[in-house]
Coordinates of all heavy atoms in Angstrom, one line a residue:
Q1 N -3.6 -16.5 -8.0 CA -3.2 -17.9 -7.8 C -4.2 -19.0 -7.9 O -4.1 -20.1 -8.3 CB -2.2 -17.9 -6.6 CG -1.0 -17.0 -6.6 CD -0.3 -16.9 -5.3 OE1 -0.9 -17.1 -4.2 NE2 1.0 -16.6 -5.3
K2 N -5.3 -18.7 -7.2 CA -6.4 -19.6 -7.2 C -6.9 -19.9 -8.6 O -7.4 -21.0 -9.0 CB -7.6 -19.1 -6.4 CG -8.8 -20.1 -6.3 CD -9.9 -19.4 -5.5 CE -11.0 -20.4 -5.2 NZ -12.1 -19.8 -4.4
A3 N -6.8 -18.8 -9.5 CA -7.2 -19.1 -11.0 C -6.2 -19.8 -11.7 O -6.5 -20.2 -12.9 CB -7.5 -17.7 -11.6
G4 N -5.1 -20.0 -11.2 CA -4.0 -20.7 -11.9 C -2.9 -20.0 -12.4 O -2.0 -20.5 -13.1
V5 N -2.9 -18.6 -12.1 CA -1.6 -17.8 -12.6 C -0.4 -18.3 -11.9 O -0.3 -18.5 -10.7 CB -1.9 -16.3 -12.2 CG1 -0.7 -15.5 -12.5 CG2 -3.1 -15.9 -12.9
D6 N 0.7 -18.6 -12.7 CA 1.9 -19.2 -12.2 C 2.8 -18.1 -11.4 O 3.4 -18.6 -10.5 CB 2.6 -19.7 -13.4 CG 1.9 -20.7 -14.1 OD1 1.7 -21.8 -13.5 OD2 1.5 -20.5 -15.2
H7 N 2.8 -16.9 -11.8 CA 3.7 -16.0 -11.1 C 3.1 -14.6 -11.1 O 2.5 -14.2 -12.1 CB 5.1 -16.0 -11.8 CG 6.1 -15.2 -10.9 ND1 6.7 -15.6 -9.8 CD2 6.6 -13.9 -11.1 CE1 7.5 -14.8 -9.4 NE2 7.5 -13.7 -10.1
V8 N 3.4 -13.8 -10.1 CA 2.9 -12.4 -9.9 C 4.1 -11.4 -9.8 O 4.9 -11.8 -8.9 CB 1.9 -12.3 -8.7 CG1 1.5 -10.8 -8.6 CG2 0.7 -13.2 -9.1
I9 N 4.1 -10.5 -10.5 CA 5.1 -9.4 -10.4 C 4.4 -8.2 -9.8 O 3.4 -7.7 -10.5 CB 5.9 -9.1 -11.7 CG1 6.6 -10.3 -12.2 CG2 6.7 -7.8 -11.6 CD1 7.2 -10.0 -13.5
I10 N 4.8 -7.6 -8.6 CA 4.2 -6.5 -8.1 C 5.1 -5.3 -8.3 O 6.3 -5.4 -7.9 CB 3.7 -6.7 -6.6 CG1 2.8 -7.8 -6.5 CG2 3.4 -5.3 -6.0 CD1 2.5 -8.1 -5.0
V11 N 4.6 -4.2 -8.9 CA 5.5 -3.1 -9.1 C 5.1 -2.1 -7.9 O 4.0 -1.7 -7.8 CB 5.2 -2.3 -10.4 CG1 6.1 -1.1 -10.7 CG2 5.3 -3.2 -11.7
T12 N 6.2 -1.7 -7.2 CA 6.1 -1.0 -5.9 C 6.6 0.5 -6.3 O 7.3 0.7 -7.2 CB 6.9 -1.6 -4.8 OG1 8.3 -1.5 -5.2 CG2 6.5 -3.1 -4.6
G13 N 6.2 1.4 -5.3 CA 6.6 2.7 -5.4 C 6.5 3.3 -4.0 O 7.3 3.1 -3.1
H14 N 5.4 4.0 -3.8 CA 5.1 4.5 -2.5 C 4.9 3.5 -1.4 O 4.3 2.4 -1.6 CB 3.8 5.4 -2.6 CG 3.3 6.1 -1.3 ND1 4.1 6.9 -0.7 CD2 2.1 6.0 -0.7 CE1 3.5 7.4 0.4 NE2 2.2 6.9 0.4
R15 N 5.6 3.7 -0.3 CA 5.6 2.8 0.8 C 5.9 1.3 0.5 O 5.3 0.4 0.8 CB 4.2 2.9 1.6 CG 3.9 4.2 2.2 CD 2.6 4.4 2.6 NE 2.1 3.6 3.7 CZ 1.1 3.6 4.4 NH1 0.2 4.6 4.1 NH2 0.6 2.8 5.4
S16 N 6.9 1.2 -0.3 CA 7.2 -0.2 -0.9 C 7.6 -1.2 0.2 O 7.3 -2.4 0.1 CB 8.3 -0.1 -1.9 OG 9.6 0.4 -1.3
D17 N 8.4 -0.7 1.2 CA 8.8 -1.7 2.2 C 7.5 -2.3 3.0 O 7.5 -3.5 3.2 CB 9.6 -1.0 3.4 CG 11.0 -0.6 2.7 OD1 11.3 -1.2 1.6 OD2 11.8 0.2 3.3
E18 N 6.6 -1.5 3.2 CA 5.3 -2.0 3.9 C 4.6 -2.9 3.0 O 4.1 -4.0 3.5 CB 4.4 -0.8 4.3 CG 4.9 0.1 5.3 CD 4.0 1.3 5.5 OE1 2.8 1.1 5.9 OE2 4.5 2.5 5.2
L19 N 4.5 -2.7 1.7 CA 3.9 -3.5 0.8 C 4.6 -4.8 0.6 O 3.9 -5.9 0.7 CB 3.9 -2.8 -0.6 CG 3.1 -3.5 -1.7 CD1 1.7 -3.6 -1.3 CD2 3.3 -2.8 -3.1
I20 N 5.8 -4.9 0.6 CA 6.6 -6.1 0.6 C 6.5 -7.0 1.9 O 6.3 -8.2 1.8 CB 8.2 -5.9 0.3 CG1 8.3 -5.2 -1.1 CG2 9.0 -7.1 0.4 CD1 9.7 -4.7 -1.4
T21 N 6.4 -6.2 3.0 CA 6.2 -6.9 4.2 C 5.0 -7.6 4.3 O 4.8 -8.7 4.8 CB 6.4 -5.9 5.5 OG1 7.8 -5.4 5.5 CG2 6.2 -6.6 6.8
A22 N 3.8 -6.9 3.8 CA 2.5 -7.5 3.9 C 2.4 -8.7 3.0 O 1.5 -9.6 3.2 CB 1.5 -6.4 3.4
C23 N 3.3 -8.9 2.0 CA 3.2 -10.1 1.1 C 4.3 -11.1 1.4 O 4.5 -11.9 0.5 CB 3.3 -9.4 -0.4 SG 2.1 -8.4 -0.9
F24 N 4.9 -11.0 2.5 CA 6.1 -11.8 2.8 C 5.7 -13.3 2.7 O 6.6 -14.1 2.3 CB 6.7 -11.3 4.1 CG 6.1 -12.0 5.3 CD1 6.5 -13.3 5.9 CD2 5.0 -11.4 5.8 CE1 5.9 -13.8 7.0 CE2 4.3 -11.9 6.9 CZ 4.7 -13.1 7.4
S25 N 4.6 -13.7 3.0 CA 4.2 -15.0 3.0 C 3.8 -15.7 1.7 O 3.5 -16.9 1.6 CB 3.1 -15.3 4.2 OG 2.0 -14.6 3.8
L26 N 3.7 -14.8 0.7 CA 3.1 -15.3 -0.7 C 4.2 -15.9 -1.4 O 5.3 -15.5 -1.5 CB 2.6 -14.0 -1.3 CG 1.3 -13.3 -0.7 CD1 1.0 -12.2 -1.4 CD2 0.2 -14.3 -0.5
D27 N 3.9 -17.1 -1.9 CA 4.8 -17.8 -2.8 C 4.6 -17.2 -4.2 O 3.5 -16.8 -4.7 CB 4.5 -19.3 -2.7 CG 4.9 -20.0 -1.4 OD1 5.8 -19.5 -0.8 OD2 4.2 -20.8 -1.0
H28 N 5.6 -17.5 -5.1 CA 5.6 -17.2 -6.6 C 5.3 -15.7 -6.8 O 4.5 -15.4 -7.7 CB 4.7 -18.1 -7.2 CG 4.8 -19.5 -6.9 ND1 6.0 -20.1 -7.3 CD2 4.1 -20.5 -6.2 CE1 5.9 -21.5 -7.0 NE2 4.9 -21.6 -6.3
V29 N 5.8 -14.9 -5.9 CA 5.6 -13.4 -6.0 C 6.9 -12.7 -6.1 O 7.8 -13.1 -5.3 CB 4.6 -12.9 -5.0 CG1 4.6 -11.3 -5.0 CG2 3.3 -13.4 -5.0
S30 N 7.1 -11.8 -7.0 CA 8.4 -11.0 -7.0 C 8.0 -9.6 -7.0 O 7.0 -9.2 -7.4 CB 9.3 -11.4 -8.2 OG 8.6 -11.3 -9.3
F31 N 9.0 -8.7 -6.8 CA 8.8 -7.2 -6.7 C 9.8 -6.5 -7.6 O 10.9 -7.0 -7.7 CB 8.9 -6.7 -5.2 CG 7.9 -7.4 -4.3 CD1 8.2 -8.6 -3.7 CD2 6.6 -6.9 -4.0 CE1 7.4 -9.2 -2.8 CE2 5.8 -7.5 -3.2 CZ 6.1 -8.7 -2.6
V32 N 9.3 -5.4 -8.1 CA 10.2 -4.5 -8.8 C 9.7 -3.1 -8.6 O 8.6 -2.8 -8.3 CB 10.2 -4.8 -10.5 CG1 8.7 -4.6 -10.9 CG2 11.2 -3.9 -11.1
H33 N 10.7 -2.2 -8.3 CA 10.4 -0.8 -7.8 C 10.5 0.1 -9.0 O 11.3 0.1 -9.7 CB 11.5 -0.5 -6.7 CG 11.1 0.8 -6.1 ND1 10.1 0.9 -5.2 CD2 11.8 2.0 -6.0 CE1 10.1 2.1 -4.8 NE2 11.1 2.8 -5.2
N34 N 9.6 1.0 -8.9 CA 9.5 2.3 -9.8 C 10.0 3.4 -8.9 O 9.3 4.0 -8.1 CB 8.2 2.6 -10.3 CG 8.1 3.9 -11.1 OD1 9.2 4.5 -11.4 ND2 6.9 4.3 -11.6
P35 N 11.3 3.9 -9.1 CA 11.9 4.9 -8.2 C 11.3 6.3 -8.6 O 11.4 7.2 -7.7 CB 13.4 4.9 -8.6 CG 13.4 4.3 -10.0 CD 12.4 3.3 -10.1
N36 N 10.7 6.4 -9.7 CA 10.0 7.7 -10.1 C 8.5 7.7 -9.9 O 7.8 8.4 -10.6 CB 10.4 8.1 -11.5 CG 11.9 8.2 -11.8 OD1 12.6 8.7 -10.9 ND2 12.3 7.6 -12.8
Y37 N 8.0 6.9 -9.0 CA 6.5 6.7 -8.8 C 5.8 7.9 -8.5 O 4.6 8.1 -8.9 CB 6.3 5.7 -7.7 CG 6.7 6.1 -6.3 CD1 5.9 6.9 -5.5 CD2 7.9 5.9 -5.8 CE1 6.2 7.3 -4.3 CE2 8.4 6.4 -4.5 CZ 7.4 7.1 -3.8 OH 7.9 7.6 -2.5
A38 N 6.5 8.9 -7.9 CA 5.7 10.2 -7.5 C 5.5 11.0 -8.6 O 4.6 11.9 -8.5 CB 6.5 10.9 -6.4
S39 N 6.3 10.9 -9.7 CA 6.2 11.8 -10.8 C 5.8 11.1 -12.1 O 5.6 11.8 -13.2 CB 7.5 12.6 -11.0 OG 8.5 11.7 -11.3
S40 N 5.7 9.8 -12.2 CA 5.4 9.1 -13.3 C 3.9 8.5 -13.4 O 3.4 8.4 -12.2 CB 6.3 8.0 -13.5 OG 6.3 7.1 -12.6
G41 N 3.4 8.2 -14.5 CA 2.1 7.5 -14.7 C 2.2 6.0 -14.6 O 3.2 5.4 -14.4
M42 N 1.0 5.5 -14.7 CA 0.8 4.1 -14.6 C 1.5 3.4 -15.7 O 2.2 2.3 -15.5 CB -0.6 3.6 -14.6 CG -0.7 2.1 -14.4 SD -2.5 1.5 -14.4 CE -3.2 2.4 -13.0
I43 N 1.7 4.0 -16.8 CA 2.3 3.2 -18.1 C 3.8 3.1 -17.7 O 4.4 2.0 -18.0 CB 2.1 4.0 -19.4 CG1 2.7 3.2 -20.5 CG2 2.8 5.5 -19.3 CD1 2.3 3.6 -21.9
E44 N 4.6 4.0 -17.0 CA 5.9 3.8 -16.7 C 6.1 2.7 -15.8 O 7.0 1.8 -15.9 CB 6.4 5.1 -16.1 CG 6.8 6.3 -17.0 CD 5.5 7.0 -17.5 OE1 4.4 6.9 -16.7 OE2 5.5 7.7 -18.5
S45 N 5.1 2.4 -14.7 CA 5.2 1.4 -13.8 C 4.9 0.1 -14.6 O 5.5 -1.0 -14.3 CB 4.2 1.6 -12.7 OG 4.6 2.6 -11.8
A46 N 4.0 0.2 -15.5 CA 3.6 -1.0 -16.2 C 4.8 -1.5 -17.1 O 5.2 -2.7 -17.2 CB 2.4 -0.8 -17.2
K47 N 5.5 -0.5 -17.7 CA 6.6 -1.0 -18.5 C 7.7 -1.6 -17.7 O 8.4 -2.5 -18.1 CB 7.2 0.3 -19.3 CG 6.4 0.7 -20.4 CD 7.1 2.0 -21.0 CE 6.3 2.6 -22.2 NZ 7.0 3.6 -22.9

């Protein structure tokens, strides 16, 4: 955000609720969940 990025999408998986709680005060941030995080690679989360 300091660099000027307008929006951040965080892809969650393991311990997603804790991660979202940690970021609750951040503006211009959204979350999307990878339900298969335990068995998939980074490319699946990236997609």
Side-chain angles (χ1 to χ4, degrees):
Q1 294 177 334
K2 185 178 179 181
V5 174
D6 295 292
H7 189 77
V8 174
I9 297 172
I10 299 174
V11 182
T12 68
H14 183 54
R15 295 171 63 173
S16 60
D17 290 344
E18 293 175 63
L19 187 61
I20 293 170
T21 298
C23 299
F24 79 96
S25 63
L26 298 174
D27 295 325
H28 309 294
V29 174
S30 58
F31 301 89
V32 60
H33 187 66
N34 176 4
N36 300 315
Y37 66 88
S39 58
S40 61
M42 186 181 293
I43 189 169
E44 284 77 17
S45 291
K47 287 181 177 183

